[in-house]
Amino acid sequence: EARLHAPPCPAARELDGVPPGVEQVLVEHEGNSVRSPEEAAEVVRQVERVLGRSWTTTVDGATEERPLGQGDVLVVAAYNAQVWAVRAALEAAGYPDVEVGTVDRFQGKEAPVVVATLAASSGRDASPGLADVLPHSPRGVEELGAFLGLTGSAPLG
């Protein structure tokens, strides 16, 4: 029924000074399982780093350029306790319009910038699905390698 369309070419979308892709930011903390104030503070730093930068995209064949706003950033947290911690930290920093939620809330949604926060200090502090143990199969090793390659981008200044 011609309802399925390809998204705009990623090369036609650009956030000034931020290379496209996934960036991993490691945050040191201990003993956190479903809430991490350290990660909440880092989320605020990451939001501050991108807000106001020039966002260029193509809409219906026309190029649009505007400052990146709070509504252009989504924060995905693994647990509701982290959602509340991040939301409080963002509001305290003056960013009440940045959306924060679990993956269920954002299914099917996209944004120029998405920040993910896991909250758990280690696999032992989280659910078994986040265990920080070595893979037990060749497929698991392959998936771990792909994940590490995806998140191994250079840090931004």
Side-chain angles (χ1 to χ4, degrees):
E1 298 175 24
R3 294 186 304 182
L4 199 59
H5 302 282
C9 175
R13 297 180 288 193
E14 178 183 355
L15 184 57
D16 185 43
V18 179
V22 176
E23 177 188 5
Q24 180 183 45
V25 178
L26 301 176
V27 179
E28 294 287 329
H29 52 83
E30 283 186 34
N32 297 330
S33 59
V34 296
R35 179 181 175 279
S36 170
E38 299 88 350
E39 286 189 26
E42 182 61 35
V43 168
V44 171
R45 282 190 288 279
Q46 293 301 316
V47 168
E48 288 174 338
R49 186 176 65 96
V50 297
L51 287 180
R53 290 180 184 254
S54 178
W55 168 243
T56 305
T57 189
T58 302
V59 178
D60 296 327
T63 300
E64 294 182 2
E65 184 177 339
R66 62 176 174 76
L68 192 78
Q70 292 183 46
D72 296 314
V73 179
L74 299 178
V75 180
V76 181
Y79 304 99
N80 281 324
Q82 185 67 355
V83 169
W84 303 325
V86 170
R87 191 173 290 144
L90 287 166
E91 287 177 6
Y95 307 118
D97 297 329
V98 173
E99 286 189 75
V100 184
T102 60
V103 70
D104 295 334
R105 178 176 178 186
F106 296 130
Q107 278 187 334
K109 197 166 185 179
E110 61 182 48
V113 175
V114 177
V115 178
T117 173
L118 298 178
S121 297
S122 73
R124 290 174 299 282
D125 295 315
S127 68
L130 296 177
D132 58 350
V133 298
L134 292 174
H136 297 289
S137 69
R139 175 82 176 144
V141 172
E142 181 181 348
E143 289 171 351
L144 176 61
F147 174 76
L148 292 174
L150 181 66
T151 61
S153 60
L156 301 174

